[in-house]
Amino acid sequence: MRKIILNQKKDCEPHSVKYTSIDEHLMNFGADIKEIERVKRKYPMKIPHYFLGLIKEKEDPIWKQCVPSIEELKDVYNIEDPLREEKHTRVSCLVHKYPDRVLLLVSSKCAMYCRFCTRKRKVGRTQQISMVEIFRAIDYIREHKEVRDVLVSGGDPLTRTDRELEIILKELRSIPHVDIIRIGTRIPCVQPSRITKRLANMLRKYHPLYINIHFNHPMEITEESKKACETLADAGIPLGSQTVLLKGVNDSVEVMKELVQKLLSIRVKPYYVYQCDPVMGVEHFRTSIDVGINIMKQLQGFTSGLCIPHFVIDGPGGKIPISPQYVKEITPEEIIVTNYLNDMYTYPNSHKVFSNELINKERLRIGLTFNLKRDPAKNERFDKYSEFDDISTIDAIRKAIESGGYEVVLLEANLDFIEKLKKTRVDFVFNIAEGINGDSRESQVPAILDMFNIPYSGSGVLTQAITLTKSMTKDILLYHNIPTPNYQLFKNTRQKLKPALKFPLIVKPNCEGSSKGINNNSLVFDDESLTKQIKYVINNYSQDALVEEYCNGREFTVSILGNVKPKVLPIVEITFDHLPENINKFDSYEVKWIYDNPKNPIDPISCPANLTPKLRKQVEKIALDAYSVLGCVDCCRIDLRLDSNGIPNVLDVNTLPGLIPDPKQNSRFPRACFAAGMTYNQMILEILHAGMIRCGLRNK
Ligand SMILES: *Cc1c(COP(=O)(O)O)cnc(C)c1O
Ligand code: SF4
């Protein structure tokens, strides 16, 4: 075998460069040697002759692992020691990060300098570790009785001579509490001739000894590397593999599957696949985490379990296994899982184990009840699901509740809701479900929760039912002398308009939210258009039409949070200046959802609204009075508009205000909370806690 060629040249001027045989070999494949030289000055190159011989073409998986690439100098994202190994280094050349095992670094040299190495900052640049340092580290192990497993690593420990290695192993074996010795090496893969019978015979004296070999690609499994592994396995040494997931090298299911199967056939058990660490100079090798998860998903079940490694990310906190999710839900009765083909199964739980260990009583389980937005079917009205919530909102609320230290169970309030609820045993529910079907649908989930005696956030059955019915809400407000426009309910178009009602009038469905059924034509100025619009509402929304006097002044919405002394958040004003001339200046469906959408950069909201102190007090008082007489709790958003006398009139009471997290979507309740200095998470937790305090689950 030709001698390994050394990396750094003291004199870097191009004319003085003498090409080595490696350079020549790479140039034959069309390498840019000048570029390689530049990279080598920062990150040395070393390629064993054998490994060089595995290259079939430029940029193939073997090449990428060992030949310097200009990309290494372009990495602006990463830092040198993301694993913070320096911090865990108690004695030089020893990393003690886990309770019962340590990493003992016995060589700073490697047979090859892998371009993606996690210890890129060190390899090939530091002095060889001295035997004195190693002895000092072994003394540490001797003093720490908790260490039962020593992982001998580097660099590459097999760059040491057999004699040096034996001294180290003998020393470790003389420590009674050291049970397992492991060697981590890449040499059987990159320089298999180093694995001699003599070496194996020496190693076998120190059993139980394990070796983990770093393999990354099926092309590395050759007659030579196979023989090296056999030599070790024949010495009774169990072999494992470690692989780094590398873009362009092994980031596909096909390659990884071939690799793990071939490893098993040369008696190497796949052990870990590492997500490539965010180390400076290796960004071009990094894949997204999904790639690894997907590969694992396509291995498990599709090939022998013996071939399946653990996919891990390594960080300052140690290795963390990342695996595809097979568990969908765990309930006290059963576990719901999917298999490798994504078929769903349930498996009975053991009640005893569950009640003793899995249900941690300190951590309350919060059910999150919601209705998920979907596209309307062909025979359904276009706005059928516009009150429902997007998965992004549900997810943001889930995370916010979790940030308060709770466990969250998602409960979609569809027709299986009762069955799900029975199975999950939640302590409290955070309710944003709008309900399905019927005029009082917002009260469905509260009613079911009441039935099961499960406390929940937000207003109760009666309030939800009343506030979804505008005429009922207005009757109660009028009874309490809270200003709201005069109105008349139309069950059909034959009814006569009461003389007391003066045009212009506005026509709305009696039981809808989110401006449904209110469009640009809803504002009417004469009998003819009134009749037309009443017909539209009755026909399209199958409910009574509410006709009320139009308030032509400014429009506000007031968010209220809490109980006993509810808090009024900064008032939101709805502005209409951005609308085209022909669009009426009120909160119609078009205004709310079409002229205001995330792609449209206009901000149709001003918060806090610019109000005189007198008007602000007046608006706040009316909103609070409405909140109180209607029996609202925890949170609510009340829409008001100034009439021609400048008096704020209550238009609508929203007991389930929208909670969209993205500020660009101008969800009004969150906007008011943001203006009050709250974060989204704080807002959700404040609603949750208001409910929990009210129900006696939490102290004020
Ligand atoms: C990987 C590693 C070990 C060994 O971990 P296992 O999961 O037992 O293989 C020990 N110490 C450090 C610092 C490590 O990075
Ligand atoms: S053998 Fe291991 S330690 Fe050495 S350069 Fe390669 S990856 Fe890094």
Side-chain angles (χ1 to χ4, degrees):
M1 205 192 95
R2 256 182 285 173
K3 192 97 193 85
I4 292 157
I5 317 299
L6 265 190
N7 36 308
Q8 277 159 316
K9 293 202 173 58
K10 299 225 165 53
D11 184 354
C12 289
E13 281 160 41
H15 61 263
S16 69
V17 169
K18 283 212 191 71
Y19 295 129
T20 63
S21 65
I22 293 190
D23 294 341
E24 279 163 12
H25 192 86
L26 296 176
M27 281 193 292
N28 287 341
F29 282 108
D32 180 342
I33 287 298
K34 269 206 204 116
E35 217 172 76
I36 291 177
E37 285 298 326
R38 263 183 68 198
V39 182
K40 271 162 68 174
R41 255 172 263 153
K42 182 150 189 217
Y43 301 118
M45 174 180 91
K46 188 160 137 191
I47 311 172
H49 182 67
Y50 158 81
F51 202 76
L52 195 67
L54 298 183
I55 295 176
K56 292 221 168 67
E57 58 188 24
K58 191 178 177 211
E59 300 289 337
D60 74 7
I62 300 291
W63 174 293
K64 283 196 171 132
Q65 292 187 67
C66 60
V67 180
S69 155
I70 198 75
E71 297 296 321
E72 294 173 42
L73 302 180
K74 293 187 190 158
D75 182 357
V76 292
Y77 299 104
N78 298 316
I79 55 171
E80 291 195 323
D81 180 19
L83 268 58
R84 302 244 278 297
E85 282 189 335
E86 310 287 357
K87 184 188 145 201
H88 288 274
T89 306
R90 313 237 174 132
V91 217
S92 70
C93 77
L94 185 118
V95 186
H96 192 175
K97 207 183 219 182
Y98 293 106
D100 69 340
R101 54 206 189 280
V102 294
L103 192 64
L104 175 65
L105 310 174
V106 302
S107 172
S108 61
K109 308 236 170 299
C110 298
M112 173 166 113
Y113 297 143
C114 309
R115 307 321 301 172
F116 49 83
C117 181
T118 297
R119 303 202 179 86
K120 208 175 169 78
R121 69 184 188 283
K122 282 191 157 169
V123 286
R125 291 157 133 189
T126 45
Q127 269 208 322
Q128 179 59 304
I129 298 167
S130 73
M131 288 303 270
V132 175
E133 279 174 275
I134 297 171
F135 283 134
R136 220 177 289 137
I138 295 178
D139 282 342
Y140 173 96
I141 297 172
R142 206 185 297 279
E143 284 156 24
H144 286 76
K145 297 229 159 36
E146 71 276 18
V147 177
R148 47 170 294 283
D149 180 352
V150 178
L151 183 45
V152 179
S153 179
D156 200 315
L158 298 190
T159 52
R160 287 282 182 184
T161 63
D162 290 3
R163 223 178 72 82
E164 287 168 330
L165 269 177
E166 179 149 24
I167 292 169
I168 294 165
L169 293 175
K170 197 181 251 163
E171 204 59 28
L172 286 172
R173 264 290 158 251
S174 74
I175 304 174
H177 57 265
V178 171
D179 185 8
I180 307 289
I181 299 176
R182 292 192 262 177
I183 293 176
T185 173
R186 184 138 215 225
I187 280 187
C189 168
V190 298
Q191 194 189 13
S193 60
R194 167 74 183 91
I195 310 300
T196 57
K197 282 247 162 57
R198 208 174 133 231
L199 173 67
N201 282 333
M202 182 276 283
L203 294 174
R204 73 187 311 160
K205 290 191 267 173
Y206 300 95
H207 274 313
L209 179 101
Y210 288 69
I211 293 185
N212 270 332
I213 309 170
H214 181 162
F215 277 105
N216 289 335
H217 194 275
M219 281 166 80
E220 295 166 353
I221 298 169
T222 61
E223 279 309 313
E224 288 89 340
S225 59
K226 177 170 178 242
K227 191 162 154 267
C229 292
E230 272 170 6
T231 306
L232 295 170
D234 286 346
I237 303 169
L239 303 177
S241 75
Q242 318 219 54
T243 299
V244 184
L245 181 59
L246 298 168
K247 194 191 270 175
V249 174
N250 58 16
D251 58 339
S252 76
V253 177
E254 296 71 37
V255 171
M256 205 57 102
K257 190 155 151 190
E258 188 185 346
L259 173 65
V260 294
Q261 288 172 341
K262 283 200 164 152
L263 283 170
L264 208 59
S265 72
I266 62 165
R267 297 158 73 187
V268 177
K269 160 85 186 78
Y271 180 47
Y272 279 139
V273 170
Y274 292 95
Q275 169 70 11
C276 184
D277 291 324
V279 172
M280 190 190 281
V282 311
E283 186 57 31
H284 58 298
F285 279 115
R286 302 189 72 224
T287 63
S288 79
I289 303 272
D290 300 359
V291 171
I293 295 176
N294 185 46
I295 290 174
M296 294 308 296
K297 194 148 189 220
Q298 301 301 322
L299 291 180
Q300 178 67 53
F302 292 94
T303 188
S304 339
L306 262 181
C307 304
I308 314 276
H310 302 281
F311 174 47
V312 293
I313 50 176
D314 206 354
K319 298 181 184 66
I320 296 164
I322 307 286
S323 84
Q325 285 305 309
Y326 297 100
V327 176
K328 296 294 159 201
E329 202 175 324
I330 302 178
T331 72
E333 285 80 21
E334 63 190 9
I335 172 167
I336 302 170
V337 289
T338 52
N339 73 349
Y340 70 107
L341 296 171
N342 261 340
D343 304 322
M344 223 187 277
Y345 294 91
T346 59
Y347 183 88
N349 211 338
S350 149
H351 290 265
K352 213 146 105 238
V353 170
F354 204 94
S355 54
N356 292 347
E357 289 170 18
L358 285 180
I359 295 186
N360 180 352
K361 264 293 140 203
E362 316 267 293
R363 221 169 142 222
L364 291 184
R365 296 181 117 200
I366 309 291
L368 173 55
T369 51
F370 59 90
N371 290 106
L372 189 59
K373 191 171 268 181
R374 58 196 78 229
D375 292 329
K378 278 217 176 70
N379 57 347
E380 289 176 330
R381 216 181 43 237
F382 73 101
D383 59 1
K384 168 128 182 158
Y385 301 110
S386 52
E387 296 158 302
F388 288 11
D389 285 287
D390 278 332
I391 190 71
S392 57
T393 300
I394 294 156
D395 216 45
I397 296 176
R398 175 181 63 76
K399 286 193 187 124
I401 300 175
E402 282 172 353
S403 78
Y406 303 99
E407 187 188 339
V408 179
V409 184
L410 297 183
L411 294 167
E412 185 177 2
N414 52 16
L415 294 178
D416 308 326
F417 177 56
I418 293 184
E419 279 77 45
K420 279 187 280 193
L421 193 64
K422 282 205 289 214
K423 276 190 208 153
T424 40
R425 290 192 194 154
V426 291
D427 299 297
F428 190 84
V429 162
F430 189 98
N431 177 38
I432 58 163
E434 302 280 345
I436 40 182
N437 306 322
D439 288 351
S440 303
R441 57 193 176 275
E442 285 181 359
S443 57
Q444 287 163 354
V445 165
I448 294 168
L449 294 172
D450 280 348
M451 190 168 144
F452 285 92
N453 217 359
I454 299 171
Y456 51 90
S457 69
S459 296
V461 179
L462 185 61
T463 300
Q464 299 278 15
I466 289 173
T467 52
L468 194 58
T469 306
K470 293 192 173 72
S471 56
M472 290 286 177
T473 308
K474 290 166 76 74
D475 286 347
I476 293 174
L477 295 174
L478 288 168
Y479 176 84
H480 289 279
N481 293 321
I482 296 169
T484 182
N486 283 326
Y487 83 98
Q488 183 179 353
L489 208 55
F490 281 80
K491 295 186 184 303
N492 55 57
T493 45
R494 293 182 301 280
Q495 273 173 256
K496 280 259 155 338
L497 183 67
K498 287 193 286 196
L501 287 187
K502 298 277 178 275
F503 283 105
L505 297 167
I506 188 154
V507 187
K508 309 172 176 177
N510 195 27
C511 309
E512 296 292 346
S514 302
S515 298
K516 283 160 72 170
I518 306 178
N519 58 37
N520 202 42
N521 300 330
S522 300
L523 185 61
V524 296
F525 296 87
D526 51 47
D527 285 309
E528 191 187 338
S529 47
L530 172 67
T531 309
K532 202 170 136 209
Q533 201 58 21
I534 291 174
K535 227 184 228 157
Y536 166 79
V537 168
I538 293 177
N539 291 346
N540 287 284
Y541 292 85
S542 320
Q543 55 187 285
D544 300 345
L546 179 100
V547 174
E548 68 181 9
E549 284 181 336
Y550 181 61
C551 294
N552 62 1
R554 296 164 71 185
E555 178 152 347
F556 306 104
T557 182
V558 181
S559 303
I560 301 177
L561 189 49
N563 305 302
V564 190
K565 262 196 161 170
K567 182 152 73 176
V568 181
L569 297 166
I571 295 171
V572 166
E573 175 159 12
I574 321 295
T575 54
F576 301 100
D577 309 336
H578 59 282
L579 294 177
E581 279 288 304
N582 60 330
I583 295 295
N584 285 319
K585 310 297 180 275
F586 61 87
D587 213 8
S588 61
Y589 194 84
E590 295 96 321
V591 170
K592 202 170 200 165
W593 301 106
I594 299 171
Y595 289 95
D596 179 16
N597 66 60
K599 284 188 207 107
N600 215 344
I602 50 123
D603 186 357
I605 271 180
S606 136
C607 183
N610 186 9
L611 297 173
T612 61
K614 184 169 165 241
L615 182 55
R616 189 166 60 85
K617 272 224 176 86
Q618 202 180 3
V619 168
E620 285 182 357
K621 180 170 186 319
I622 289 173
L624 278 173
D625 286 349
Y627 188 79
S628 151
V629 300
L630 290 163
C632 302
V633 293
D634 304 341
C635 72
C636 183
R637 213 195 70 225
I638 296 176
D639 300 337
L640 305 99
R641 213 169 156 124
L642 302 187
D643 63 18
S644 46
N645 300 319
I647 309 245
N649 276 246
V650 175
L651 297 187
D652 201 10
V653 176
N654 306 286
T655 42
L656 294 171
L659 298 173
I660 304 172
D662 179 4
K664 283 202 209 75
Q665 301 215 33
N666 302 320
S667 192
R668 292 157 188 188
F669 191 92
R671 280 288 296 265
C673 289
F674 299 155
M678 276 184 231
T679 63
Y680 188 80
N681 286 3
Q682 284 166 345
M683 169 186 87
I684 297 294
L685 287 174
E686 196 153 322
I687 299 172
L688 175 72
H689 289 160
M692 288 170 69
I693 292 166
R694 178 174 50 78
C695 300
L697 265 91
R698 196 185 153 90
N699 294 327
K700 177 94 193 148

